[in-house]
Amino acid sequence: MGNNPFSSPNINDAKLYASWGLDIGYMVNWCITPDQYKELTGKDYTAPTTDTTTA
């Protein structure tokens, strides 16, 4: 994010957050690609589902 607190994160921020053990899934398709996610975490990215059930 550099010195601008209002700039969006980038791949360098994702690398840093991943090195801290933080979940960077929210960054996929916003500032990193699914392939970059796999490179950083070693895991395939699985998009969250919006399925809901009602009784």
Side-chain angles (χ1 to χ4, degrees), residues 18-42:
S19 75
W20 292 342
L22 300 176
D23 178 14
I24 59 169
Y26 74 94
M27 299 176 123
V28 176
N29 296 322
W30 176 33
C31 60
I32 63 172
T33 66
D35 288 337
Q36 289 170 320
Y37 177 86
K38 185 169 186 170
E39 288 175 23
L40 295 173
T41 65

Side-chain angles (χ1 to χ4, degrees), residues 40-53:
L40 295 173
T41 65
K43 302 174 190 171
D44 288 326
Y45 174 72
T46 304
T49 62
T50 57
D51 293 340
T52 58
T53 58

